[in-house]
Amino acid sequence: MIRIFSSPASHLRQFRRNISTQATADTDEPNSLTILWHYQILDPSSDIVNHWNHIFLISCLISLFIDPLYFYLPYVVNGEACMSSDNNVSVLITYCRTIFDVFYLLHILMKFRMAFVAPGSRVFGRGELVMDPRQIRMRYLKSDFIIDLTAALPLPQILIWYVIPATKSGGTGQSNNTLALIVLIQYIPRLFVIFPLNSRIIKTTGFIAKTAWAGAAYNLLLYLLASHILGASWYLASIGRQHSCWTEKCVEEFERIPPCNLKFLDCSSMDTGSLERQYWLNMTKVLTNCDAKNDDSDFKFGMFAEAFTSEVASSRFFEKYLYCLWWGLRNLSSYGQNLSTSTYLGETTFCIVLCISGLILFAQIIGNMQTYLSSMTVKLEEWRIKKRDTEEWMRHRQLPEDLQERVRRFEQYKWLTTRGVNEEDILKSLPQDLRREIQRHLCLNLVRRVPFFAQMDDQLLDAICERLVSSLSTKGSYIVREGDPVNEMLFIIRGQMESSTTNGGRSGFFNSITLRPGDFCGEELLTWALVPNASLNLPSSTRSVKTLTEVEAFALQAEDLKFVANQFKRLHSMRLQHAFRYYSHQWRTWGACFIQAAWRRYKKKMLAKKLILEVNYDEDDDGYYSDEQDGEYSDEETGDRTSVDSPAQNLSTTILASRFAANTRRGALQRIAGAQPASLKMPKLLKPDEPDFSGEV
């Protein structure tokens, strides 16, 4: 911050010099230099200057709309052959005009403190700003100051409230031509102000209106403004033509009795010399000869006759304004083709200007409107052309009807999802930091919905989000088939998919699960990426994945996953590997097979044990009954037989049972090894420990 010095003149001069030579005022500190804001040097590309340019552009358009309203002040009194001015409307117009003239003065003050780019520094980049106040003032005084000052002068107010009343008192009569001349002359510098301002806004921000509808409305407003100016000029010219006829016929009656006085053409004479004027009004032929409805009159009104045949000149202000606006809009759109003119030079010139203006405005403004409106449907039109080309290509290649329907369904689904916008092209054109922030905003919350990713820290998630790309699939599409190489991991955001396996085509083996939002497929790729010296060949898929509905997902390519695995060693932690195994459907299937095999081994072992016990029991019963029948049963013999034969039988039975159990276990392990995913080339994997999610292992 700059210190504020005390009152001595030397300190004040030093303060002004410091303020003048500093760089552009900091917009991040709204309270800085608020006391002496007029000492700031403004950057022409700053936000405050851009906002002011838009405000000043609107005020310029409104002031251009207000100025032609002065043309509607004179009106004709029916049957009195005189003209008057609407003072009430004049006060209102003058008040509004004065308010918007203040904006021109403020714009002049701002340009005295607005920096400019040195012409010699535009070789590279935006150039160097000149911040010296003296150079800024001298440059402005030599360039645009005269035009801005002329546009800001209150000339119509001075003319109406001071010049015209003074000339009327001298007996000059109506001054409509003078008023029109002053207003139209001041229109030239105001147009010179608004056109460079429009170009400056486009150069700084790139556009006038942010939306296509706003741009079309802006150009339509300019076209209506041109029609408003044309209608007001036509009305004032009609009043002038009527006054010229009255003046011409009045001069012819100077020598008649009663003589015509030019003061009679002003309605103010009705109060001062009412008897004399009334006598002249009863005897004169001015009204008959200057009646636009009289076809026998030798004075031709031409295209101005409509103002009097339709009684526009004697209507109320709002009525004649709307009529003149419609007249200007109609003839500007038709280039004046419906106008019937006389040989009057001013009338012919007016029609020529009207025709040329209509052509220019229609080519420029209406052309811009068409451009803005067509930009709203340009993507739709591109999609229609692409759809037509696709249909022609499918018919030319004679694709089957089911394939054609799948192509149509995919194109329709892609259009409804993206509206023809290629997100990858937009992101590639942005800087890396901005692209990373956008990817984080778009993907982070969705990625965290995947339970496996929820176990990762923010830095690892940012690296993954930066490399995720959107993927769209229609119903019935195969993402990957069993045995095909896996080139991406897919994380489901919306939709459902079916993941099934036959364990390499093994007969009698089939496993199928449904993947929902939050699940993922292609986990063979993660195992391949975690192996330190993995081969360049991509792993083969152990499952077939097919979409059950339309699916929106994020895809992580193989090279991107390998890069993340190499850069971030935390991906190799046991905690994440346990989480991966827990949420992986392949590992779940393998675990289920492992449990089934162990259960079957247990059941076979129990069955073998039960059979051995039953065999031993049957043999004991058979020996007892045979000895009893032969009458050779004795305690001594029985005791000898039990002590000698029973250990041999038990030993042989144990050996047979152990061999049977070993063969059963060996076959079960072989089946488990076959059920294990082929891509998981790890050492002998026992059932993993339950993952501990409370902290890193």
Side-chain angles (χ1 to χ4, degrees):
M1 294 293 294
I2 300 173
R3 284 183 50 199
I4 298 180
F5 294 93
S6 55
S7 57
S10 60
H11 290 178
L12 183 59
R13 285 194 298 270
Q14 180 65 26
F15 170 71
R16 292 177 178 176
R17 190 155 46 247
N18 291 338
I19 294 295
S20 301
T21 56
Q22 73 169 4
T24 306
D26 294 333
T27 56
D28 296 336
E29 299 180 7
N31 295 325
S32 63
L33 304 179
T34 55
I35 299 177
L36 297 176
W37 60 269
H38 54 279
Y39 289 125
Q40 291 182 349
I41 301 300
L42 301 175
D43 186 351
S45 61
S46 60
D47 292 338
I48 185 172
V49 175
N50 290 333
H51 289 312
W52 169 253
N53 287 337
H54 282 85
I55 294 173
F56 183 61
L57 178 62
I58 296 174
S59 65
C60 288
L61 293 176
I62 296 176
S63 63
L64 290 178
F65 172 81
I66 291 176
D67 287 349
L69 296 179
Y70 284 110
F71 295 171
Y72 294 105
L73 295 182
Y75 63 92
V76 175
V77 179
N78 287 331
E80 296 294 338
C82 68
M83 296 182 183
S84 183
S85 181
D86 194 339
N87 292 327
N88 295 328
V89 177
S90 177
V91 171
L92 181 61
I93 296 174
T94 303
Y95 179 75
C96 296
R97 160 81 190 225
T98 305
I99 291 176
F100 287 97
D101 285 345
V102 176
F103 286 90
Y104 285 90
L105 295 177
L106 293 176
H107 187 65
I108 292 175
L109 295 177
M110 286 192 65
K111 294 186 74 172
F112 271 115
R113 309 300 300 177
M114 190 177 300
F116 65 94
V117 179
S121 63
R122 294 179 179 176
V123 179
F124 181 78
R126 56 173 293 184
E128 181 181 355
L129 289 177
V130 177
M131 311 298 295
D132 186 13
R134 185 176 180 278
Q135 295 184 19
I136 294 173
R137 287 196 300 267
M138 295 303 298
R139 179 179 181 274
Y140 180 52
L141 290 174
K142 292 178 181 179
S143 57
D144 300 333
F145 176 72
I146 300 299
I147 296 177
D148 293 343
L149 181 62
T150 306
L153 292 176
L155 296 182
Q157 296 95 309
I158 296 174
L159 181 67
I160 290 177
W161 293 101
Y162 296 102
V163 178
I164 291 180
T167 54
K168 277 187 176 182
S169 62
T172 323
Q174 296 291 336
S175 302
N176 297 329
N177 295 333
T178 306
L179 176 64
L181 182 64
I182 293 297
V183 173
L184 291 178
I185 286 178
Q186 199 175 22
Y187 243 68
I188 297 176
R190 294 204 166 192
L191 290 177
F192 272 103
V193 169
I194 195 172
F195 288 139
L197 179 64
N198 188 79
S199 301
R200 194 178 305 117
I201 293 175
I202 295 177
K203 183 178 180 180
T204 304
T205 61
F207 50 82
I208 289 292
K210 293 183 178 180
T211 62
W213 280 109
Y218 173 71
N219 285 274
L220 180 61
L221 180 64
L222 295 180
Y223 195 78
L224 290 176
L225 180 61
S227 303
H228 164 64
I229 297 172
L230 181 63
S233 302
W234 170 77
Y235 176 80
L236 187 63
S238 301
I239 294 295
R241 193 63 174 156
Q242 179 71 78
H243 187 266
S244 299
C245 180
W246 284 348
T247 302
E248 179 182 338
K249 299 303 179 182
C250 185
V251 171
E252 295 177 0
E253 294 183 358
F254 276 171
E255 298 179 357
R256 294 184 58 182
I257 298 176
C260 178
N261 192 343
L262 294 179
K263 293 183 178 180
F264 293 162
L265 302 180
D266 191 349
C267 291
S268 60
S269 63
M270 296 174 60
D271 299 330
T272 57
S274 57
L275 294 178
E276 182 182 1
R277 189 183 186 284
Q278 187 66 34
Y279 179 62
W280 167 81
L281 187 62
N282 294 333
M283 301 299 295
T284 186
K285 295 183 179 179
V286 173
L287 291 177
T288 304
N289 294 332
C290 293
D291 189 2
K293 300 177 182 178
N294 186 9
D295 296 335
D296 298 332
S297 176
D298 57 349
F299 190 91
K300 302 301 180 182
F301 285 89
M303 68 174 186
F304 303 116
E306 187 177 355
F308 306 103
T309 56
S310 301
E311 298 183 355
V312 178
S314 58
S315 301
R316 292 180 297 178
F317 176 82
F318 190 70
E319 294 174 350
K320 61 185 176 184
Y321 165 72
L322 289 180
Y323 187 92
C324 294
L325 178 62
W326 170 80
W327 188 93
L329 187 61
R330 179 191 64 182
N331 290 283
L332 195 63
S333 303
S334 62
Y335 316 129
Q337 297 179 4
N338 299 325
L339 296 177
S340 57
T341 62
S342 62
T343 57
Y344 176 56
L345 181 61
E347 184 178 356
T348 308
T349 305
F350 186 89
C351 289
I352 293 174
V353 173
L354 187 151
C355 183
I356 296 175
S357 302
L359 286 172
I360 296 175
L361 290 173
F362 191 84
Q364 180 68 24
I365 298 179
I366 302 301
N368 290 340
M369 284 185 59
Q370 184 179 2
T371 302
Y372 277 110
L373 294 177
S374 62
S375 65
M376 300 175 58
T377 58
V378 62
K379 292 296 183 182
L380 179 60
E381 191 63 27
E382 291 178 358
W383 175 71
R384 288 175 179 173
I385 295 175
K386 183 179 179 181
K387 185 178 180 181
R388 183 191 62 190
D389 295 341
T390 304
E391 292 288 341
E392 293 179 358
W393 174 80
M394 289 190 298
R395 285 196 299 269
H396 176 69
R397 294 299 182 183
Q398 299 181 358
L399 296 182
E401 189 62 32
D402 57 338
L403 287 181
Q404 294 186 21
E405 184 62 28
R406 289 179 61 184
V407 171
R408 296 189 193 101
R409 190 163 63 246
F410 174 77
E411 292 293 337
Q412 181 73 19
Y413 177 63
K414 184 178 180 181
W415 165 257
L416 293 176
T417 306
T418 63
R419 292 295 176 180
V421 178
N422 193 338
E423 295 182 0
E424 295 183 8
D425 292 343
I426 296 176
L427 291 174
K428 287 180 180 178
S429 63
L430 299 176
Q432 182 178 3
D433 180 65
L434 188 57
R435 184 166 62 246
R436 184 184 299 112
E437 292 295 329
I438 293 176
Q439 287 287 86
R440 178 183 176 88
H441 171 73
L442 294 177
C443 305
L444 185 59
N445 292 333
L446 298 176
V447 166
R448 280 178 173 168
R449 288 167 52 183
V450 180
F452 171 58
F453 283 154
Q455 312 299 325
M456 301 181 182
D457 56 9
D458 291 341
Q459 188 177 6
L460 187 56
L461 287 179
D462 288 342
I464 293 176
C465 289
E466 188 177 352
R467 290 163 177 80
L468 288 178
V469 294
S470 60
S471 176
L472 302 175
S473 302
T474 55
K475 180 181 179 181
S477 301
Y478 275 93
I479 305 299
V480 65
R481 297 178 185 269
E482 188 174 357
D484 292 345
V486 182
N487 55 7
E488 64 181 10
M489 285 188 70
L490 213 61
F491 304 94
I492 304 175
I493 304 302
R494 297 181 185 87
Q496 295 181 358
M497 295 191 298
E498 180 188 27
S499 177
S500 60
T501 180
T502 60
N503 193 21
R506 199 176 92 188
S507 63
F509 185 91
F510 180 79
N511 175 262
S512 176
I513 55 175
T514 301
L515 303 180
R516 294 180 173 82
D519 294 333
F520 56 91
C521 63
E523 51 263 43
E524 301 94 342
L525 205 60
L526 182 59
T527 306
W528 169 80
L530 292 177
V531 176
N533 298 320
S535 62
L536 298 178
N537 298 328
L538 295 175
S540 299
S541 176
T542 59
R543 308 183 72 88
S544 296
V545 182
K546 181 180 179 181
T547 58
L548 300 177
T549 61
E550 283 79 10
V551 174
E552 294 182 34
F554 282 118
L556 187 61
Q557 301 296 326
E559 55 273 13
D560 295 331
L561 184 59
K562 189 68 174 177
F563 174 80
V564 173
N566 293 334
Q567 292 294 323
F568 297 91
K569 299 304 180 183
R570 289 187 299 275
L571 199 60
H572 297 262
S573 67
M574 293 302 299
R575 174 174 174 243
L576 289 181
Q577 292 188 28
H578 285 172
F580 168 71
R581 295 172 184 176
Y582 179 77
Y583 292 111
S584 172
H585 290 284
Q586 283 190 345
W587 281 81
R588 290 183 179 182
T589 303
W590 181 61
C593 294
F594 189 93
I595 294 173
Q596 289 178 359
W599 174 253
R600 288 170 182 170
R601 288 198 308 270
Y602 173 75
K603 293 292 291 183
K604 289 180 180 180
K605 182 177 180 181
M606 295 302 297
L607 180 61
K609 185 176 181 180
K610 182 178 179 182
L611 290 175
I612 291 173
L613 293 177
E614 289 180 354
V615 169
N616 292 336
Y617 182 76
D618 292 340
E619 289 179 354
D620 292 340
D621 291 344
D622 292 341
Y624 173 78
Y625 288 116
S626 61
D627 291 340
E628 185 178 8
Q629 291 174 359
D630 294 339
E632 298 177 354
Y633 178 78
S634 66
D635 293 337
E636 184 177 354
E637 292 179 355
T638 303
D640 294 340
R641 188 178 301 168
T642 302
S643 61
V644 176
D645 296 340
S646 180
Q649 274 187 337
N650 292 338
L651 180 60
S652 61
T653 303
T654 303
I655 294 173
L656 291 175
S658 62
R659 290 179 179 178
F660 179 79
N663 293 333
T664 304
R665 187 182 301 108
R666 189 179 301 110
L669 290 176
Q670 290 178 357
R671 287 193 296 274
I672 293 172
Q676 183 179 352
S679 62
L680 301 177
K681 298 179 180 180
M682 295 184 177
K684 184 179 180 181
L685 279 172
L686 300 178
K687 180 178 181 296
D689 297 334
E690 293 297 328
D692 182 12
F693 297 107
S694 61
E696 284 289 343
V697 177

